[in-house]
């Protein structure tokens, strides 16, 4: 019994292409503004840390220095004594939790930096632990290089990323912030929303102090951090809406930027932990500039592979040689279609040659040749000239093939359907009812025997068309 779901219903190619175009556009929109986002996030966390530090050194109830009198250190409730609060002196004395603001600004900065420098997935970010930072000693030079171990990822395949100096600074800031008095990072349990299981307590790098305990960041918290960080940049999309970044946008940007800067796609595949390079290339956005540059490079390569003297105006002698070539291509039973500048390598055995375009006007001659070959084969067989029979049979097959080509051409012409296309003269002049017959049209009407050496091209070549 046939499946009730049709092919059209399960074919997803068009949908996939549309999704890819949408994602590419998203990446193209966000990649140029990434430096603005990172610098704004860095400035924000520094400003929040400075403000918190100054507020801590201010007596409760006093104006906080450096705020132009707009903030006053609030008197915190006893239960939340480790938090630093401030009150705005204007606008009804709104209270601000400066500790929370500093924390949010720091973690937004850390999230953006780690995501953009590693291209890891959101769930991989949340599973980074202090143990993920390892080191490797190069056997050749003895140099120690820091590595970031990503495990487990979506594919359950561990991978190691080289830690760049920028990433090392960010990881160092995170670890310094989380270390307790004993130098250890608190162990926290996290909930894996995809696997729907609680992971055992680990020294997670993305955890924060909530009340009296440490808790792991959740995917929702990461998204909120990014939204708040974006809102301080004032960046907008092409339609004027506030620009948003999802954690996966950083992954697409990472792949696009890396490949555009010369990283081979198969290396990017390993770094991203993709099983297929198709997935990696799917992440990479294509820019129109890339297409144009690739095409120009192709033309430059092709030109480089041809002698430079070919790119000039032909001399009169060369032009005459070119025209003479076409004159020489006329043979008794049609037209030879070999390329310009190439000699006949078939010893002018045109009946057997696939390059011969038979002339309909020479059908009778071809039929004579075929009859003659049949008679000669019969004679050779009768006389016992078996060595000649084989060659004659090849020629006979060639002649029959050419006759078949002529028959097929005649059938095609007799079955031709007029499409009622407007003639060139009518379009150009508008007022003319009938078009004066052109030489080309005459040739076409009379068959290729009248067209002469230009049968293959419909019009005589000019210097312009040959350049
Ligand atoms: S044998 Fe072929 S290549 Fe040679 S002249 Fe005849 S058609 Fe041209």
């Amino acid at each position: 019994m046939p499946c009730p779901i049709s092919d059209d219903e399960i074919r997803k190619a068009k949908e996939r292409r549309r999704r890819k175009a949408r994602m590419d556009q998203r990446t193209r929109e966000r990649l140029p503004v990434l430096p603005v986002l990172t610098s704004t996030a860095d400035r924000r966390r520094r400003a929040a840390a400075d403000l918190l530090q100054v507020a801590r050194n201010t007596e409760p109830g006093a104006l906080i220095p450096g705020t132009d009198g707009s903030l006053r250190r609030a008197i915190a409730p006893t239960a939340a004594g480790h938090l630093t609060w401030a009150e705005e002196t204007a606008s009804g004395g709104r209270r601000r939790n400066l500790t929370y603001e500093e924390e949010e600004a720091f973690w937004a900065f850390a999230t953006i930096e780690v995501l953009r420098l590693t291209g890891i997935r959101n769930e991989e970010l949340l599973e980074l632990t202090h143990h993920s930072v390892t080191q490797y000693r190069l056997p050749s030079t003895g140099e120690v290089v820091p590595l970031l171990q990503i495990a487990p990822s979506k594919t359950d395949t561990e991978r190691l990323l080289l830690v760049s100096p920028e990433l090392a600074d960010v990881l160092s800031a995170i670890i310094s912030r989380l270390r307790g008095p004993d130098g250890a990072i608190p162990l926290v349990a996290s909930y894996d929303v995809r696997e729907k299981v609680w992971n055992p307590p680990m020294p997670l790098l993305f955890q924060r102090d909530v009340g009296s305990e440490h808790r792991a960041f959740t995917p929702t918290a990461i998204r909120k951090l990014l939204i708040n960080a974006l809102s301080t940049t004032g960046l907008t999309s092409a339609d004027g809406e506030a620009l948003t970044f999802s954690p996966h946008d950083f992954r697409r940007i990472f792949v696009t930027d890396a490949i555009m800067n010369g990283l081979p796609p198969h290396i990017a595949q390993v770094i991203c932990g993709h099983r297929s390079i198709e997935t990696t290339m799917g992440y990479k956005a294509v820019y129109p500039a890339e297409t144009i540059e690739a095409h120009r490079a192709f033309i430059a390569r092709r030109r480089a592979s041809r002698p430079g003297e070919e790119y000039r105006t032909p001399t009169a002698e060369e032009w005459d040689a070119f025209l003479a070539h076409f004159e020489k291509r006329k043979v008794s039973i049609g037209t030879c279609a070999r390329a310009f500048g190439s000699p006949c390598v078939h010893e002018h055995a045109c009946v057997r040659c696939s390059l011969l375009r038979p002339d309909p006007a020479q059908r009778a001659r071809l039929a004579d040749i075929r009859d003659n070959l049949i008679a000669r084969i019969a004679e050779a067989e009768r006389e016992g000239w078996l060595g000649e029979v084989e060659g004659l049979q090849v020629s006979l097959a060639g002649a029959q093939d050419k006759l078949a080509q002529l028959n097929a051409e005649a059938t095609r012409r007799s079955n031709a359907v007029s499409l009622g296309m407007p003639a060139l003269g009518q379009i150009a002049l508008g007022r003319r009812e009938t078009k004066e017959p052109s030489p080309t049209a005459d040739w076409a009407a009379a068959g290729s025997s009248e067209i002469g050496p230009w049968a293959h091209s419909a019009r005589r070549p000019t210097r312009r068309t040959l350049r």
Side-chain angles (χ1 to χ4, degrees):
M1 183 174 171
C3 178
I5 303 170
S6 68
D7 280 355
D8 284 345
E9 286 170 299
I10 57 175
R11 201 171 292 138
K12 299 283 185 193
K14 191 185 265 187
E15 192 186 315
R16 275 199 298 273
R17 276 198 299 273
R18 282 184 185 159
R19 189 171 61 228
K20 164 92 172 106
R22 223 173 35 242
M23 290 302 110
D24 282 2
Q25 179 55 25
R26 214 179 145 85
T27 305
R28 283 193 289 263
E29 204 169 41
R30 281 156 183 75
L31 181 55
V33 300
L34 187 59
V36 176
L37 174 61
T38 54
S39 59
T40 308
D42 190 29
R43 272 202 308 275
R44 181 175 169 234
R45 66 118 185 179
R46 288 180 194 280
D50 290 347
L51 180 60
L52 177 63
Q53 191 57 44
V54 173
R56 278 180 179 159
N57 296 335
T58 307
E59 287 296 318
L63 289 176
I64 300 174
T67 60
D68 296 330
S70 61
L71 277 181
R72 182 190 308 279
R73 171 94 191 254
I75 302 170
T78 314
H82 67 285
L83 300 178
T84 303
W85 289 83
E87 287 171 355
E88 291 178 355
T89 51
S91 64
R94 187 172 71 91
R95 283 165 67 89
R96 286 171 52 183
N97 184 343
L98 299 185
T99 309
Y100 176 80
E101 285 182 10
E102 189 277 333
E103 194 160 76
E104 192 191 79
F106 174 82
W107 287 112
F109 161 79
T111 302
I112 291 168
E113 289 295 309
V114 174
L115 285 176
R116 84 171 177 96
L117 293 171
T118 58
I120 58 178
R121 303 177 179 96
N122 194 19
E123 63 267 26
E124 292 170 342
L125 175 88
L126 299 179
E127 288 167 357
L128 283 180
T129 70
H130 196 188
H131 301 150
S132 305
V133 185
T134 60
Q135 60 183 32
Y136 176 69
R137 186 177 294 277
L138 294 174
S140 50
T141 60
E143 188 186 347
V144 175
V145 289
L147 296 173
L148 192 65
Q149 186 183 25
I150 308 295
S153 65
K154 183 171 132 185
T155 53
D156 271 347
T157 310
E158 288 188 356
R159 64 186 196 278
L160 288 165
L161 304 181
L162 193 64
V163 176
S164 63
E166 277 177 299
L167 180 58
D169 285 347
V170 179
L171 293 176
S172 157
I174 294 174
I175 291 167
S176 315
R177 184 183 185 89
L178 293 176
R179 268 195 171 132
D182 58 352
I185 290 182
L187 303 181
V188 294
S190 60
Y191 183 69
D192 191 325
V193 290
R194 290 181 183 273
E195 309 272 336
K196 309 252 183 302
V197 293
W198 280 94
N199 293 321
M202 287 187 289
L204 293 177
L205 292 187
F206 278 80
Q207 57 170 284
R208 64 176 162 185
D209 195 2
V210 180
S212 59
E213 61 176 338
H214 280 253
R215 286 190 197 161
F217 275 91
T218 61
T220 309
I222 293 291
R223 271 196 294 277
K224 276 177 70 178
L225 285 177
L226 293 179
I227 290 169
N228 291 342
L230 257 298
S231 67
T232 61
T233 61
L235 292 169
T236 55
S237 60
D239 52 10
E241 297 287 318
L243 198 67
T244 57
F245 270 64
S246 75
H248 225 66
D249 283 327
F250 292 97
R251 189 163 165 82
R252 289 193 201 94
I253 289 172
F254 177 83
V255 174
T256 303
D257 198 32
I259 294 179
M260 278 175 62
N261 283 301
L263 186 74
H266 64 283
I267 304 290
Q269 178 197 350
V270 176
I271 291 174
C272 290
H274 289 146
R275 284 207 184 107
S276 159
I277 198 165
E278 298 293 322
T279 313
T280 311
M281 295 313 287
Y283 275 51
K284 186 195 165 292
V286 177
Y287 281 78
E290 281 178 87
T291 315
I292 294 164
E293 278 168 21
H295 189 228
R296 291 179 64 183
F298 165 73
I299 292 173
R301 276 200 307 277
R302 196 177 58 181
R303 285 201 168 155
S305 68
R306 303 288 304 173
E309 66 267 17
E310 287 186 4
Y311 293 92
R312 59 176 171 75
T313 305
T315 62
E317 292 76 29
E318 286 170 335
W319 185 246
D320 289 343
F322 177 74
L323 296 180
H325 164 79
F326 289 97
E327 300 297 337
K328 285 179 193 165
R329 296 202 322 176
K330 186 70 184 155
V331 293
S332 63
I333 48 177
T335 307
C336 168
R338 71 178 188 270
F340 168 65
S342 61
C344 170
V345 292
H346 303 123
E347 299 174 349
H348 296 277
C350 298
V351 171
R352 299 179 179 190
C353 181
S354 61
L355 294 176
L356 177 74
R357 302 283 174 266
D359 181 351
Q362 304 299 329
R363 160 181 280 282
R365 183 187 287 264
L366 262 174
D368 283 349
I369 292 172
R370 178 198 57 196
D371 296 343
N372 179 270
L373 284 167
I374 292 171
R376 286 174 63 192
I377 289 170
E379 182 190 13
E381 286 175 340
R382 195 172 55 246
E383 298 296 331
W385 302 330
L386 299 183
E388 204 168 318
V389 171
E390 199 175 325
L392 290 170
Q393 279 174 337
V394 173
S395 297
L396 176 61
Q400 287 171 332
D401 180 49
K402 299 292 178 279
L403 282 166
Q405 279 182 33
L406 289 178
N407 290 341
E409 178 65 25
T411 309
R412 243 193 337 268
R413 287 188 180 202
S414 64
N415 293 340
V417 176
S418 169
L419 296 177
M421 299 294 285
L424 185 62
Q426 289 167 323
I427 295 172
L429 303 176
R431 62 182 186 278
R432 288 175 61 179
E433 289 294 318
T434 54
K435 180 165 71 73
E436 285 181 14
S438 70
T440 310
D442 281 348
W443 288 340
S448 61
S449 64
E450 300 299 321
I451 297 174
W454 316 109
H456 65 291
S457 64
R459 74 185 176 101
R460 186 184 173 95
T462 62
R463 290 190 192 212
R464 177 183 287 276
T465 60
L466 292 163
R467 255 174 243 157

